[in-house]
Amino acid sequence: MPPRDPPAGADPLPPNPVPPSPVPSKPRGGTALAVACAVVLVTAVCAGGWVGGRLYAGDPVLPLGAAAPTTGDTAPSPEPSPEGERAGYRGMSVALPEGWTSQTVREGFGVMSGPPEDLVEEEWLVLRPQDQSECEGNEWTWTDNHTGCRHLKVLGPLGIRYGGSGYGPIDLDNVGSHTSYTASGNPHPCPEGVPSHTTGTEEVPGLLPWEVEERDLGGEPARYGVGPTICYDVESQGFRHFEQRLWLVEDAGILVVDGYGLAEAEDVLATAEW
């Protein structure tokens, strides 16, 4: 069955959402969500991280952290790129900072709750600092937003097509339910080691809308967006949000995702060549 996108304007959350069942994960410190998510997170951005897309589409909601079926080999390239070299993807190349490596992953993209035979294979690129114990034995998948291994995702057309809430398309032109890179039908666990926040606190009074602007990426026009993405705190069993950054080069079919606040991300993309 082809994936169905949520109907236009279906951003608000359903009332009194029931949190998905948590999955094994390292406990993370944090404050429990102040009120039920539906009361506070009524902005379109919140819906982008929650189950609304799946529910409106009529598809089942996946358990948090559930292994996604794939087609093809979901494995890194045999040889990481040596330090100081450039990593290339879909006609774009960037210089790797000292101590960084690149890995290529090939797997199936699509609505992950659907039949595995409906998935379409595509390659995507992982750019990351090498010296991270959290990366050891990590099995990369495009739907994983919560690994403790700090990295940039460099995705292609299928990542753009299925990366929004409920596996809908990423859209930075119309800020709403498909702005953040969610790649799921429900919130992922909060990323390890990344600051996250509850809503309704003095420091973070509420979910702010995404900020989107035009950028130049090596001579190619790009849309740059920064804003909150909903996550699920396993320890408190409440909802929080963390900051995510996206660079979308529509003409080239490239999406870069930073969910870790990597200080080097801007410098890496500043070296883009075509």
Side-chain angles (χ1 to χ4, degrees), residues 115-176:
E117 58 268 21
D118 288 348
L119 303 181
V120 181
E121 287 191 5
E122 185 170 89
E123 289 186 348
W124 63 281
L125 198 63
V126 178
L127 305 179
R128 64 173 180 85
Q130 289 193 77
D131 190 17
Q132 300 184 73
S133 60
E134 297 86 352
C135 303
E136 295 178 5
N138 187 61
E139 295 184 6
W140 293 104
T141 176
W142 65 284
T143 61
D144 191 352
N145 269 356
H146 58 277
T147 175
C149 180
R150 296 179 299 119
H151 66 283
L152 294 175
K153 285 183 173 70
V154 186
L155 298 142
L158 294 181
I160 298 170
R161 172 65 184 85
Y162 295 105
S165 66
Y167 302 107
I170 292 290
D171 189 354
L172 292 183
D173 291 320
N174 302 294
V175 175

Side-chain angles (χ1 to χ4, degrees), residues 26 29 78 82 104 125 157 256:
K26 292 182 181 178
T104 300
L125 198 63
V256 181

Side-chain angles (χ1 to χ4, degrees), residues 164-235:
S165 66
Y167 302 107
I170 292 290
D171 189 354
L172 292 183
D173 291 320
N174 302 294
V175 175
S177 64
H178 293 311
T179 300
S180 63
Y181 184 81
T182 307
S184 180
N186 55 322
H188 291 277
C190 296
E192 293 285 342
V194 177
S196 63
H197 314 280
T198 59
T199 56
T201 66
E202 182 177 349
E203 296 82 7
V204 185
L207 274 175
L208 300 176
W210 273 64
E211 297 178 5
V212 180
E213 62 183 42
E214 299 291 337
R215 290 282 182 93
D216 179 272
L217 213 61
E220 289 290 324
R223 301 279 283 165
Y224 168 75
V226 56
T229 297
I230 300 299
C231 62
Y232 183 74
D233 184 59
V234 176
E235 184 178 75

